[in-house]
Amino acid sequence: LALYTDRPHAWDAWDIDPGYEASGRVLSDVCEQFEVVEEGPLRVRLRTERALGERSRIAQEFVLDAGSPRLDIRSEVDWREDHTLLRALFPADVRATEATYAVQFGHVRRPTHRNRDADAAMFENCAHGWVDVSEPGLGVALLDDCKYGRSCDEHTLGITLLRAPTHPEPKADRGEHAFTYSLMPHEGNWRSAGVDREAACLNAPLRATIPASEQDGPAGAEWAPVELIYPDDSSETARAQVVAIKRAEDSDRLIVRLVEQHGGRGEVALRWGRDVAAVRPVDALEHPIEDDRVGLEDGVTLLRLAPFEIVTLEVELA
């Protein structure tokens, strides 16, 4: 964790000025509390607590689940600073000239160096869910559930956690905060390691429910109306995500929207968990369009996706 003086020349609540790192101070003092609060075959959980700045405090739990590729850092902060920036930094033994940042429905690559003025201007980047830096064979990703400012300076990953502007709102962001960020070392690149999938799991964790006493059999058809199957097992080809399932605006039909997110090209089969009479392509406004790729055979719709393609389907239930 590191604290920085944060006094932008303009736009106090919006800007972080270049060169802010010169004021940085890494928190190296001893934690006031350090204890193992859970230790078992399925989970280990460590808790720390310490002062943060002049008037703030932070409590963190480091959680490692059995079989999980990531270390979750659950944080609770009582934030009372002024003109102060809080970041978490992770120096990594990885060498790469670019880092990959997730954005909605895709990803972008940004330089890890500051050799040119344009590179230096990208000292922080907006990302949705994760940033990854990889070299051939291995890499490390930084995931989170609600933060957006990321950086990768040479081989150090960073994430902006809190700011404390005073204009136009004198007490902006002051108070209690709760958030989680995760460190995920991995083999291969972010695609083969499933970094995007782990980020989705962090943001929408598995929830257990107790079924009704009269319920018999699986509930998959009710909770998972569609399953994605890939004829090609390569992680470098198309990988889609269902991003919306909703009722149509002007009928009782089902709208399913999926997006290719790996930047690859390939086939995906949609196996319907409900009895489906017809599947038709529509645009984002749910107007019918012509698309020969869309059909239905034996309860399966086969699609061939282009990189980052968004496909919306209208499903008529039997």
Side-chain angles (χ1 to χ4, degrees):
L1 295 174
L3 292 171
Y4 305 84
T5 299
D6 183 27
R7 292 184 176 274
H9 294 296
W11 310 111
D12 188 31
W14 289 269
D15 284 0
I16 299 175
D17 281 358
Y20 76 93
E21 298 103 323
S23 66
R25 177 174 65 87
V26 175
L27 302 183
S28 57
D29 52 311
V30 178
C31 294
E32 300 170 13
Q33 179 184 356
F34 184 96
E35 63 174 329
V36 178
V37 294
E38 185 176 354
E39 185 175 10
L42 298 181
R43 174 178 293 167
V44 173
R45 187 158 51 100
L46 308 178
R47 179 178 176 84
T48 67
E49 190 170 335
R50 69 197 306 171
L52 189 66
E54 296 181 0
R55 298 177 296 275
S56 305
R57 296 191 63 80
I58 182 169
Q60 293 186 296
E61 288 189 349
F62 296 79
V63 182
L64 186 61
D65 290 334
S68 174
R70 67 179 198 257
L71 174 68
D72 293 341
I73 305 172
R74 303 173 182 173
S75 307
E76 296 179 354
V77 183
D78 185 11
W79 185 241
R80 306 294 174 183
E81 304 305 298
D82 291 330
H83 289 293
T84 301
L85 177 71
L86 174 64
R87 307 195 81 231
L89 306 176
F90 293 90
D93 188 14
V94 177
R95 297 295 183 269
T97 58
E98 288 185 324
T100 304
Y101 297 81
V103 296
Q104 186 181 30
F105 297 170
H107 60 270
V108 296
R109 292 188 292 269
R110 295 289 183 260
T112 60
H113 55 78
R114 302 182 183 180
N115 295 344
R116 301 166 296 183
D117 290 343
D119 303 328
M122 291 185 279
F123 61 88
E124 183 168 272
N125 296 278
C126 182
H128 294 171
W130 55 269
V131 57
D132 180 89
V133 59
S134 298
E135 63 183 47
L138 60 88
V140 63
L142 181 57
L143 292 58
D144 80 282
D145 65 352
C146 64
K147 301 299 179 182
Y148 301 97
R150 310 288 205 298
S151 66
C152 186
D153 185 8
E154 294 184 349
H155 56 90
T156 298
L157 290 170
I159 180 171
T160 295
L161 302 177
L162 288 168
R163 298 184 64 225
T166 59
H167 180 80
E169 169 53 52
K171 296 297 182 182
D173 296 341
R174 309 318 192 273
E176 297 181 353
H177 297 260
F179 48 83
T180 298
Y181 54 96
S182 304
L183 190 67
M184 180 181 168
H186 60 80
E187 296 180 344
N189 59 28
W190 68 265
R191 294 180 177 88
S192 60
V195 168
D196 54 340
R197 181 177 62 249
E198 283 299 321
C201 291
L202 174 64
N203 281 269
L206 185 66
R207 300 181 184 275
T209 61
I210 300 176
S213 59
E214 67 274 9
Q215 182 173 327
D216 184 25
E222 179 179 352
W223 293 101
V226 62
E227 177 186 3
L228 302 186
I229 302 171
Y230 300 95
D232 186 351
D233 291 333
S234 171
S235 63
E236 299 300 321
T237 55
R239 278 298 179 271
Q241 179 179 355
V242 176
V243 295
I245 298 178
K246 61 181 285 288
R247 186 184 294 255
E249 293 296 315
D250 57 359
S251 72
D252 289 334
R253 294 170 181 170
L254 199 65
I255 296 296
V256 176
R257 182 171 294 117
L258 63 154
V259 182
E260 199 293 310
Q261 294 194 313
H262 274 199
R265 189 183 303 273
E267 291 185 340
V268 58
L270 285 73
R271 177 181 293 165
W272 302 102
R274 309 288 296 271
D275 293 331
V276 173
V279 179
R280 305 177 184 88
V282 295
D283 61 17
L285 297 178
E286 303 179 16
H287 299 151
I289 60 175
E290 294 293 330
D291 192 336
D292 295 336
R293 299 174 301 170
V294 178
L296 178 67
E297 184 175 351
D298 297 328
V300 174
T301 297
L302 185 65
L303 294 176
R304 181 163 184 82
L305 299 177
F308 303 117
E309 184 177 9
I310 303 172
V311 175
T312 305
L313 304 174
E314 182 185 67
V315 181
E316 181 180 348
L317 300 179

